Amino acid sequence: MNTKVGSIFPENAIYLYNDGKMKKTVTTSLFSNKKVIVIGMPGAFTPTCSNYHIPSIIEQMSNFKMHGIDEIFCLVVNDIHVTKVWAEQTGGTDSGLKFITDTDSSLVNKLKLSFCAPDVGLINRSKRFCLILNDLIIKKILIEEERGVCNVTSGENILTQLDK
């Protein structure tokens, strides 16, 4: 699938962090009949994700809700245990941010939003991206072109895109 505006978000098994546990579910059950933001990040505990990206999203959570967003999801390619600890340590879950993990990279590969950086141990990870969905239809796509940068997909920039 080429990820493009107007495409239907693919069905895929993922894990959702909820109430202290990682629970297997499918994307269609999470994203159907809602307006959601899905933010892909290269990995839990990576410097840009932890130190800038997650805080920039948390800072805008109430503003996203005021713009009609039902839920905001942070997607990483990590094992369920690492994702759970990261979700708890970032403070994101307290803000209402939901954490999902694509443990085998199948979703980011379907979306053609994966990358490899073997020199730092990142194999088949998620590119840094943001998809705005309305009832599974992709309405907006934001993708960072450079590794270690979070400008296009920062909470502040995503907010500006909601009015466009």
Side-chain angles (χ1 to χ4, degrees), residues 126-137:
S126 174
K127 289 183 179 179
R128 192 175 306 282
F129 70 84
C130 172
L131 300 177
I132 299 171
L133 312 176
N134 192 351
D135 193 19
L136 295 171
I137 305 296

Side-chain angles (χ1 to χ4, degrees), residues 9-162:
F9 195 88
E11 181 170 83
N12 205 88
I14 55 173
Y15 284 85
L16 168 69
Y17 177 80
N18 191 22
D19 294 328
K21 298 179 205 132
M22 295 298 292
K23 178 184 171 197
K24 193 169 189 176
T25 186
V26 292
T27 53
T28 48
S29 70
L30 281 181
F31 305 152
S32 293
N33 302 312
K34 297 178 208 168
K35 190 171 183 182
V36 301
I37 297 173
V38 179
I39 303 156
M41 297 186 191
F45 297 105
T46 58
T48 304
C49 298
S50 295
N51 299 330
Y52 181 71
H53 207 175
I54 290 289
S56 82
I57 300 303
I58 291 170
E59 194 173 288
Q60 298 301 328
M61 290 295 287
S62 62
N63 291 326
F64 293 149
K65 298 285 184 172
M66 286 192 298
H67 278 80
I69 299 298
D70 296 305
E71 294 182 304
I72 301 95
F73 295 89
C74 173
L75 168 71
V76 290
V77 176
N78 283 108
D79 68 67
I80 63 171
H81 308 291
V82 167
T83 303
K84 177 184 181 294
V85 172
W86 190 55
E88 293 167 350
Q89 289 186 7
T90 61
T93 53
D94 293 337
S95 74
L97 180 61
K98 303 204 183 257
F99 288 79
I100 53 179
T101 188
D102 177 19
T103 56
D104 64 358
S105 307
S106 57
L107 177 57
V108 293
N109 285 327
K110 280 182 188 176
L111 292 167
K112 298 208 183 320
L113 291 172
S114 66
F115 80 100
C116 291
D119 58 316
V120 293
L122 299 177
I123 309 298
N124 291 324
R125 294 298 186 104
S126 174
K127 289 183 179 179
R128 192 175 306 282
F129 70 84
C130 172
L131 300 177
I132 299 171
L133 312 176
N134 192 351
D135 193 19
L136 295 171
I137 305 296
I138 299 171
K139 297 296 185 177
K140 180 92 48 187
I141 302 168
L142 306 169
I143 302 172
E144 296 290 350
E145 297 300 327
E146 188 179 337
R147 254 181 45 209
V149 173
C150 179
N151 295 322
V152 174
T153 60
S154 70
E156 298 85 1
N157 191 60
I158 293 168
L159 186 62
T160 68
Q161 300 299 310
L162 294 177

